[in-house]
Amino acid sequence: MTNQRDKETKMYIYVADVVSVVWNKDRAEVLKRLRGKKSRQKLVEEIVAQGGECSHQNLKKLEYGESESVSIKVLDAICSAL
């Protein structure tokens, strides 16, 4: 049995050439799981402390899968804080 993931085309490009990434409910769930018990506000404070940008409202929209995309800049800031 072949799953959908096996049929996806993969391409390697420079991250610097990417402006945003498509966001979906699956990615939202991963973000929630990675945040764990840390409050959204605490994560936002850590992002800002590292010089990143992400509001509490934006983080909430990402976690609820309400955003269609996320900028690489914001995604990088979230990943660095996590």
Side-chain angles (χ1 to χ4, degrees):
M1 184 172 148
T2 305
N3 67 28
Q4 180 63 28
R5 210 171 183 101
D6 293 336
K7 295 179 183 180
E8 292 178 5
T9 301
K10 296 188 177 165
M11 180 186 327
Y12 294 93
I13 60 173
Y14 292 105
V15 173
D17 293 338
V18 178
V19 176
S20 64
V21 174
V22 173
W23 200 251
N24 59 37
K25 297 256 183 206
D26 292 335
R27 291 182 178 146
E29 287 299 320
V30 171
L31 177 56
K32 274 193 250 186
R33 184 173 42 81
L34 290 173
R35 182 172 60 84
K37 295 183 182 210
K38 183 183 296 189
S39 72
R40 271 190 215 102
Q41 189 57 43
K42 178 69 175 165
L43 180 55
V44 167
E45 290 169 5
E46 291 176 7
I47 291 167
V48 171
Q50 294 181 12
E53 296 177 16
C54 184
S55 68
H56 183 276
Q57 294 82 4
N58 193 20
L59 186 58
K60 183 177 178 181
K61 285 176 68 175
L62 289 169
E63 285 190 348
Y64 279 83
E66 296 172 354
S67 294
E68 292 183 10
S69 65
V70 60
S71 73
I72 287 294
K73 185 176 179 179
V74 169
L75 193 56
D76 184 49
I78 291 170
C79 289
S80 293
L82 288 172

